[in-house]
Structure formats: C-alpha cells, structure tokens
Amino acid sequence: MAIFRSRYKYKDFGLLILRVGIGLMFILHGWPKLMGGPETWEKIGQTMQLVGVDYAPAFWGFMAGFAEVVGGAFIVLGLFFRVACVLLVITMLIATTRHTVAGDGFGGYSHALEAAILFFSLLFIGPGKYSLDKLLFPGKKDRRIYS
C-alpha cells in the first residue's frame, strides 16, 4: 500500500482525523456536564478541593464542562489549539486526581490520564496544516505565500 511507503506525507491528514475524533468525543463527554446546571456543576466542582481550591465549586464544575465542550470544538477546528490543549490537560489532570483519590484503580483513572498525555503531546505537535490556526495565524514561513 502506498500509505506505508509515503514517508509520512499524510501526517497532517492523520492529525485532522485525530483532532476531529478526539474533539467530538470530548464534546459528547462534556455536554451532559455543561447542560447539567448548577447542581451538577457544584458536584463536579467540589473535586477542586483535592488541589486546595475550596471556593466557587459551581464555577469550577461549569469550567470542566466548558473546557471539554468548547475545548473539544476548538480541537476539532484547530482554532486556539494550544489554549484548548492547556485547558484540557488541566481538566484531565484534575479528573485523574479525583479518580485516584477515590480509589478507582487504574481502570478508573486511566482514561483521564491517557487524555492528559494526548493533549499534552498535541500541545507540542500543533494542529497541522488543515486547521483554522494555520489559516488565520500563518507563521513567518507561511506569510510569504500571501504577500
């Protein structure tokens, strides 16, 4: 197959597939949290006590859902990509901490930790050329195309 002899010339397409897939999954994962309202936000936000933040739990719960839904959408679009990755890394590290402290074992915290590792890696890799960041914020190398 040609794809296996391509010297990774399809890497940007691969990044697009990864972004769309993982971004949509996080939108779906965060939507119930975001739509759950203040009671749900308060319950989720109480997790912040594990890292010494014991004020405004409803705000932090809302922010967890927001990070997953809006961050997921930004990942899909490749827009404000690094900001979205940072928000999602933080959210997933807090989720990992919650599951670990609750004694959920590896099966309980592995999803959140794997997602944190994924978003931390994407922070360095970037969104690829099929992204709104690439279109709206061209780097020095890309600017000469438009001048």
Side-chain angles (χ1 to χ4, degrees), residues 133-134 137-144:
D133 275 357
K134 183 78 168 175
F137 311 111
K140 288 180 185 176
K141 185 175 156 184
D142 303 317
R143 286 191 188 120
R144 50 187 168 165

Side-chain angles (χ1 to χ4, degrees), residues 1 3 5 11 32 37-38 46 54 72 81 99 110 113 116 120 126 137 141 144:
M1 287 176 72
I3 195 166
R5 295 187 304 266
K11 67 182 176 193
Q46 288 173 354
D54 57 359
F81 189 75
H99 287 291
S110 63
L113 183 56
F120 189 66
F137 311 111
K141 185 175 156 184
R144 50 187 168 165

Side-chain angles (χ1 to χ4, degrees), residues 55-137:
Y55 57 89
F59 169 76
W60 296 114
F62 171 82
M63 287 307 295
F66 178 86
E68 290 179 7
V69 172
V70 176
F74 282 170
I75 295 291
V76 168
L77 298 171
L79 180 63
F80 306 119
F81 189 75
R82 290 201 164 105
V83 172
C85 285
V86 167
L87 289 175
L88 287 164
V89 165
I90 293 167
T91 303
M92 291 299 99
L93 289 175
I94 297 296
T96 300
T97 303
R98 182 215 158 291
H99 287 291
T100 303
V101 169
D104 293 341
F106 181 75
Y109 69 78
S110 63
H111 168 72
L113 183 56
E114 290 161 357
I117 293 166
L118 170 69
F119 291 121
F120 189 66
S121 299
L122 286 173
L123 182 65
F124 294 98
I125 295 168
K129 72 178 181 180
Y130 305 121
S131 67
L132 287 179
D133 275 357
K134 183 78 168 175
L135 180 68
L136 298 173
F137 311 111

